[in-house]
DNA sequence: TATGAATGAGGGTTCATTCAT
DNA sequence: GATGAATGAACCCTCATTCAT
């Protein structure tokens, strides 16, 4: 139990720093200092800064989507459209409450990388979100479920940053309406 | 005339290097070497590498969109939907032919930054694309033309990279169909 | 019996690595990994990498020279000159067959160190080679047997590397002729 | 004239440090500190520590051998044997007076490397020592002048260290006698 | 304008050694 | 005896930026 505490400390220190100063501006020295750990210890657990980031992205993304699924199951939502919308709404709300995550993801413009990872994670056959989506997609005769999921994720993740960071003048409510429309439209393309 | 040639040489050398090696991996030394100019000269024309990048992005983006407008005017396309689709098709085709530009924009994952700049540029009140869009938007009673333009640009620019780079399994033709649908849908949201 | 197996494993793993990668490029981690032993165990048996190297050099050198003596005794060689020549020929042949030893000794340019050790070892009063040499030297009225032995060893060991490693263009046969001449000449200096 | 002063300062600082602490124990930081120069400046003039060492070895070796040649020409020595002996005596005397050079060369056991370089340098077709040796060798019908030169250099350089460093109990005078004998013998091998 | 030598903070990484278990 | 996680000093090297010429 004590065993992994150093790794956990490194992860959470890095998370704090990445969300605060951004990925590039965070040095390994910063991370080990914050974790009160020697520099060499970093290399005991991670190959380099990028591997740590990857682990963080995977953890955090799965956390959010899994929470979303858990919440979804508590609801009584039957239509596939609405299920998908519920999940993305959940994610949007989550990011609204904890916008520092976006800093982590995007401050150093790593959106592209993040997307790639995200897609890989969500399409990991064993994730609940993927299962749910593919099952629903089949029942709705979607021609290419992976592609549709990809498009939705791309759309939301590419716009949410600008919206939450107030780079574009729109409130969350209106933004969500847009997203709902897009999701519905996308699920119609067969 | 000799006077400006150094700046131009720096810009075009940087463009070549950025599209080849990516932004982060290109050093100022690389740029000045390629431009056959002294290191100090760089700082005579640009504050730093990022300002040069910015200038490059603005130039290139305006170039593409303006070409698109010129082409559009040669056509006889009356419906607003179709005009917008024509322009984005033009851009997609352009990028398909010259995918090195994507390297420049995204190899170092600068998608986020690029979007921001792009939006600013296109919304620059004096650009033709903006004028055309706003005029058409009004005639079609779009509630929030800027937002719609933003959403379309975000959608296309966030997905085109993955499509062209074969990160996602879809051919250009099918991808365009998706984009057309999305654009039509977006222009319906009022 | 199980007790010493770890030390032996460390020695033979180190020998393999030193002859393969060279001394400097072999880390203690490499050695303990190859010996399937924990890092701390290394320090149970050796002060540091240099002490291990020393032990290895002593072992290996004694092994070769003792083999040479054993072989010599099987022959019927009476003249002192010829006895010495026989021994050095034996060593040269040995190294020719197993040139990896030279890698171990010289890859990291440790020739100097090696010589020092070698001289100490061979002059160790209890070694057969030393006894044989001193006895023969006296019978031949050599003024300074230690010095002569030293000179011969230095000459052979400083040239053999270049010869075997093909740094100098000479075949072993011709090289041996040279060595024979030098040995004879040295044994004449009184 | 001021132009190269930094490089010269780096070279002479490095020389002092190499002869004092040895090559391996001298860090680039040590060198630049001693030269009162910034770290980056080092890399302006040398690829790495090894290239600097090489430059130093070449400079110093040529310096000594050229001095020897100059001195030789002042003498009236006609026999080839005696010419060669004069030169090696000169080198031995030089090293006796300035034994720090041996530290530089051998403290980190780089004898092997040094020899290789030395041979290359001296066999560089344009060096006086090489010319003198080959010319004399031909006049004396030496079968393989390069090999003989190599053998002599190897012999002297491998023994001089131990002699000067008092690792072996012999005075310089006697040592020189040995060397003279060996040189004469080697020049007889045809 | 133009130069390019000089700067030096800062980067990531390695590895011999220690020590609590 | 044996372990291996933890240490942290030390390493080499990069490169944006400055400034005297």
């Amino acid at each position: 139990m004590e065993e992994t505490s150093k790794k956990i400390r490194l992860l959470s220190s890095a998370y704090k720093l990445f969300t605060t100063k951004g990925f590039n501006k965070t040095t390994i020295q910063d991370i080990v200092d914050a974790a009160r750990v020697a520099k060499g210890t970093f290399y005991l657990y991670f190959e380099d800064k990028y591997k740590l980031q990857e682990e963080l992205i995977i953890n955090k993304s799965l956390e959010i989507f899994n929470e979303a699924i858990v919440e979804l199951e508590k609801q009584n939502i039957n239509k596939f459209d609405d299920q998908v919308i519920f999940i993305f709404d959940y994610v949007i709300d989550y990011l609204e409450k904890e916008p520092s995550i976006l800093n982590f993801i995007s401050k150093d413009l790593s959106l592209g990388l993040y997307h790639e990872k995200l897609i890989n994670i969500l399409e990991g056959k064993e994730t609940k979100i993927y299962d749910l989506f593919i099952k629903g997609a089949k029942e709705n005769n979607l021609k290419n479920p992976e592609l549709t999921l990809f498009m939705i994720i791309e759309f939301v993740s590419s716009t949410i940053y600008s919206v939450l960071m107030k780079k574009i003048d729109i409130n969350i409510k209106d933004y969500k309406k847009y997203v709902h429309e897009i999701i519905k439209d996308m699920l119609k393309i067969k």
Side-chain angles (χ1 to χ4, degrees), chain A residues 173-186:
Chain A
K173 216 172 181 178
D174 286 346
Y175 171 66
K176 277 182 173 177
K177 261 198 262 175
Y178 248 95
V179 173
H180 298 171
E181 290 292 332
I182 295 294
I183 290 177
K184 280 182 193 157
D185 290 333
M186 294 234 187

Side-chain angles (χ1 to χ4, degrees), chain A residues 39-59:
Chain A
K39 216 172 192 179
T41 306
F42 181 93
Y43 292 92
L44 227 48
Y45 295 110
F46 307 99
E47 216 176 287
D48 55 30
K49 211 170 58 162
Y50 299 95
K51 290 286 179 190
L52 185 156
Q53 184 194 31
E54 193 179 315
E55 204 161 323
L56 230 34
I57 288 175
I58 291 171
N59 290 350

Side-chain angles (χ1 to χ4, degrees), chain A residues 60-148:
Chain A
K60 202 70 196 174
S61 302
L62 282 179
E63 187 188 317
I64 299 175
F65 275 99
N66 285 338
E67 262 188 56
I69 298 274
V70 168
E71 254 354 273
L72 173 66
E73 283 166 351
K74 290 186 190 161
Q75 318 291 320
N76 214 330
I77 301 175
N78 296 316
K79 276 185 68 199
F80 181 53
D81 282 29
D82 294 334
Q83 289 178 338
V84 175
I85 286 172
F86 178 87
I87 285 169
F88 280 92
D89 272 6
Y90 189 92
V91 173
I92 292 167
D93 291 344
Y94 191 107
L95 293 175
E96 196 191 355
K97 270 178 236 131
E98 219 180 299
S100 62
I101 297 175
L102 287 172
N103 271 348
F104 162 49
I105 299 167
S106 341
K107 193 151 219 167
D108 288 299
L109 324 162
S110 61
L111 225 49
L113 171 67
Y114 180 73
H115 287 185
E116 236 176 276
K117 284 267 160 301
L118 187 56
I119 301 299
N120 291 342
I121 295 161
L122 297 182
E123 294 194 346
K125 303 295 180 238
E126 65 286 355
T127 56
K128 283 184 177 173
I129 175 88
Y130 186 77
D131 291 345
L132 175 133
F133 195 86
I134 298 304
K135 212 185 102 225
K138 272 184 195 152
E139 287 166 17
N140 280 266
N141 304 313
L142 273 192
K143 201 175 133 200
N144 192 338
E146 275 96 352
L147 185 61
T148 307

Side-chain angles (χ1 to χ4, degrees), chain A residues 143-161:
Chain A
K143 201 175 133 200
N144 192 338
E146 275 96 352
L147 185 61
T148 307
L149 178 57
F150 166 77
M151 292 283 176
I152 297 173
I153 289 173
E154 283 294 324
F155 178 70
V156 173
S157 51
S158 74
T159 51
I160 184 75
Y161 180 73

